Amino acid sequence: MSRRPVNPSRRYGDSGSGGALFSSKSRSPPYLSIALIVLGGLAVFTYLHSGGFGGNKSPSIRLEDDSSCTGELHRAIPVLRKAYGDIMHRVMHVGPDTCSVVSALLKQEETEAWGVEPYDLEDADVHCRALVRKGFVRVADIKFPLPYRPKSFSLVIVSEALDYLSPKYLNKTIPDLARVSTEGVVAFTGFPGQRTNKAADVSKFGRAAKMRSASWWKRYFGVTNVEINEAATKKFEQAATKMSYTPSCQIFHLKAYS
């Protein structure tokens, strides 16, 4: 906002002469102070709504529960990047808070990302709604086939969502995740006894999360004819060791359907 510069030799008087001019010793009006206050307020407003004075185009989205497996996925992204390399060029995430994951993945170099939110987005913020409007994120019931063609993505990452499904639906959902991937699926699930769900969680997800052991999951992957990707598992473990990363959730690396 521009303002015509004030001539310091001219001051408005407060006597009855109205337009009389006085010397520079008279007290100056508060125009400059007002202008600085207005400009300062605009700067603060811009900073809060753009992620900083640098104008970050990919605003971060706060997770509702940073201790969740979706929160764990955020911490694991650099490790996944190192383990999977160029495979992470076209990624789909499935699970709660998918807007936050998609935003984080889009910040990665040469990475395209999409997301599927299995639950409602009633409390979604403006950034999440923008991702939905642009088609990066969509809401879909993962108990049914995903609205994508086979091999639409190079890598599919699912966090937390599988914990809320019964075996009846896992039998359909896990193969469907493998169907839409060309290179594989990475699944983040909770450890048995990891945390208890709040009443609000049960209301939102329809049921309490079931935390299952690694042996249970491996047996069930076999039931659904989805194989463990041993090579990807080894690469991830090596990357995690080099980066001093210790996951707080179970992480499974699965093969895509040939």
Side-chain angles (χ1 to χ4, degrees):
M1 176 175 148
S2 63
R3 181 181 294 275
R4 181 179 299 172
V6 178
N7 188 337
S9 66
R10 295 173 62 88
R11 296 292 184 268
Y12 289 99
D14 56 358
S15 65
S17 60
L21 302 177
F22 292 83
S23 69
S24 59
K25 294 182 180 181
S26 302
R27 185 174 181 179
S28 62
Y31 295 146
L32 182 59
S33 298
I34 294 173
L36 290 174
I37 292 173
V38 172
L39 291 174
L42 289 174
V44 172
F45 180 87
T46 302
Y47 179 85
L48 293 176
H49 286 77
S50 65
F53 291 111
N56 188 354
K57 295 181 181 180
S58 300
S60 60
I61 299 178
R62 181 180 61 83
L63 286 173
E64 293 181 3
D65 184 0
D66 194 46
S67 66
S68 68
C69 283
T70 299
E72 182 61 38
L73 168 55
H74 277 269
R75 292 184 284 274
I77 287 177
V79 187
L80 288 168
R81 185 75 181 178
K82 187 173 183 63
Y84 281 90
D86 293 339
I87 291 175
M88 286 188 66
H89 70 275
R90 188 176 175 86
V91 184
M92 180 180 72
H93 172 260
V94 178
D97 292 318
T98 196
C99 288
S100 68
V101 177
V102 171
S103 293
L105 289 171
L106 288 174
K107 293 177 183 178
Q108 301 293 310
E109 186 177 354
E110 297 181 356
T111 299
E112 299 176 22
W114 289 265
V116 171
E117 170 66 60
Y119 313 107
D120 66 80
L121 286 170
E122 291 181 359
D123 300 327
D125 61 21
V126 63
H127 303 304
C128 184
R129 293 188 183 280
L131 289 173
V132 173
R133 187 174 62 254
K134 294 175 182 178
F136 288 106
V137 172
R138 63 171 62 186
V139 179
D141 191 340
I142 61 174
K143 295 176 183 176
F144 303 98
L146 294 169
Y148 298 102
R149 293 178 294 180
K151 303 185 182 301
S152 293
F153 308 95
S154 59
L155 188 68
V156 173
I157 304 174
V158 55
S159 62
E160 203 167 350
L162 299 182
D163 293 327
Y164 290 94
L165 296 180
S166 67
K168 172 184 176 182
Y169 293 111
L170 286 172
N171 193 44
K172 300 177 181 179
T173 300
I174 293 174
D176 199 44
L177 295 174
R179 175 186 67 83
V180 298
S181 172
T182 61
E183 302 295 336
V185 178
V186 183
F188 286 70
T189 68
F191 283 107
Q194 184 172 12
R195 69 186 181 109
T196 58
N197 293 92
K198 302 175 182 178
D201 292 334
V202 177
S203 174
K204 179 177 180 180
F205 303 135
R207 58 178 282 134
K210 180 73 172 179
M211 304 303 185
R212 302 159 174 119
S213 66
S215 59
W216 187 95
W217 279 114
K218 290 177 181 179
R219 285 197 304 270
Y220 204 82
F221 293 143
V223 170
T224 58
N225 295 317
V226 177
E227 299 179 27
I228 297 289
N229 190 331
E230 300 292 350
T233 300
K234 185 176 181 180
K235 287 182 179 180
F236 182 84
E237 290 174 349
Q238 291 173 341
T241 299
K242 289 181 180 179
M243 302 177 75
S244 300
Y245 168 75
T246 302
S248 60
C249 290
Q250 300 181 98
I251 305 176
F252 301 98
H253 305 266
L254 311 173
K255 291 182 179 181
Y257 279 155
S258 351

